[in-house]
Amino acid sequence: MNRSDIETELDFPMGIVAINAFISRMEDEKSEIELLYQISMERKDKVGFHAAWILEKLCEKEPAYALFFIRPLMNDFNRFINKSTIRQYAKLLSNLLKLKNKNRLFEDLNEVLENENPIHIIEACFEQLIDSKTRFSVKQMCCEVLLHYKDKEIWIKEELQAFTEQLAHQTQPSARAFRKRLLKVLY
């Protein structure tokens, strides 16, 4: 498929069935995986979000596919504008970091996650936590990512503790439940 065809397909409403069909057509196509990442980076609308969602689901199925775009993602994470795209990539990163901590990633991907500087990821996640326009689901995924770095930098843990205080004033049941979970992890 060429870029135009992919963007046209991504411009239509997509559910998990369409996502899975897209994934099954493109597995093992490094060029299409890299193209999806570029589209997610360049497009600030639902096309970009759909591209990120497909990549997140692809890597959920097989984490090794992340090797095709993980380095640029770690460097570009603070440049994304689309909140839904940020949520999907934060979810992807959180899942990869969980697998890394459980020693369930193969060596090449583990090495990238260990050696790449996470500063852009950390900065972008905190920007989302501070932004009052950011939906809770995005903040939650960003917190999940930050939890993986809390032991490397003490200030991250302190900021997350402060964030739990903000969650205390939320009326959403999901925010209260997440606050409770965060408190268990942080204290």
Side-chain angles (χ1 to χ4, degrees):
M1 291 180 93
N2 65 35
R3 182 184 180 112
S4 177
D5 292 339
I6 291 173
E7 287 183 347
T8 300
E9 186 172 348
L10 295 177
D11 199 26
F12 287 96
M14 297 185 93
I16 195 65
V17 173
I19 296 289
N20 287 334
F22 197 101
I23 287 171
S24 66
R25 285 195 324 263
M26 64 170 274
E27 286 180 310
D28 297 323
E29 292 294 328
K30 178 182 177 185
S31 61
E32 285 191 19
I33 293 170
E34 291 171 342
L35 180 58
L36 273 178
Y37 178 74
Q38 289 173 351
I39 290 169
S40 75
M41 186 71 198
E42 295 165 8
R43 297 287 299 261
K44 318 267 186 280
D45 56 4
K46 72 179 175 182
V47 172
F49 158 64
H50 285 155
W53 191 15
I54 290 168
L55 290 174
E56 184 261 322
K57 288 299 180 188
L58 179 68
C59 292
E60 186 178 280
K61 185 176 180 179
E62 178 52 61
Y65 289 116
L67 272 174
F68 296 136
F69 63 93
I70 193 68
R71 280 187 176 95
L73 174 62
M74 292 184 79
N75 290 318
D76 298 335
F77 194 76
N78 63 343
R79 295 177 42 208
F80 287 100
I81 297 170
N82 184 326
K83 302 287 187 185
S84 296
T85 301
I86 293 168
R87 183 185 71 236
Q88 291 313 124
Y89 280 137
K91 184 176 179 185
L92 182 144
L93 285 168
S94 177
N95 288 337
L96 290 175
L97 290 166
K98 280 180 195 170
L99 291 172
K100 177 186 166 299
N101 291 341
K102 293 178 182 180
N103 293 321
R104 291 190 176 164
L105 289 180
F106 68 96
E107 193 174 324
D108 292 346
L109 186 53
N110 191 46
E111 187 177 308
V112 171
L113 290 171
E114 188 67 35
N115 294 328
E116 287 292 313
N117 187 345
I119 191 68
H120 299 296
I121 294 167
I122 293 168
E123 286 175 357
C125 287
F126 276 117
E127 285 175 19
Q128 297 309 312
L129 294 183
I130 293 167
D131 187 350
S132 62
K133 296 175 187 166
T134 300
R135 292 187 319 260
F136 178 71
S137 62
V138 179
K139 290 182 181 196
Q140 184 177 1
M141 282 296 106
C142 287
C143 278
E144 294 290 344
V145 171
L146 291 170
L147 285 172
H148 293 283
Y149 297 109
K150 71 177 176 26
D151 295 328
K152 292 183 180 184
E153 300 286 341
I154 190 70
W155 65 269
I156 293 174
K157 184 175 182 178
E158 292 168 354
E159 292 295 328
L160 287 174
Q161 289 168 336
F163 180 68
T164 62
E165 296 308 312
Q166 293 175 10
L167 290 177
H169 304 291
Q170 297 289 322
T171 57
Q172 299 169 299
S174 58
R176 290 195 311 265
F178 187 66
R179 178 181 186 267
K180 193 174 187 179
R181 183 183 164 288
L182 267 179
L183 288 171
K184 284 182 182 177
V185 173
L186 293 171
Y187 292 100

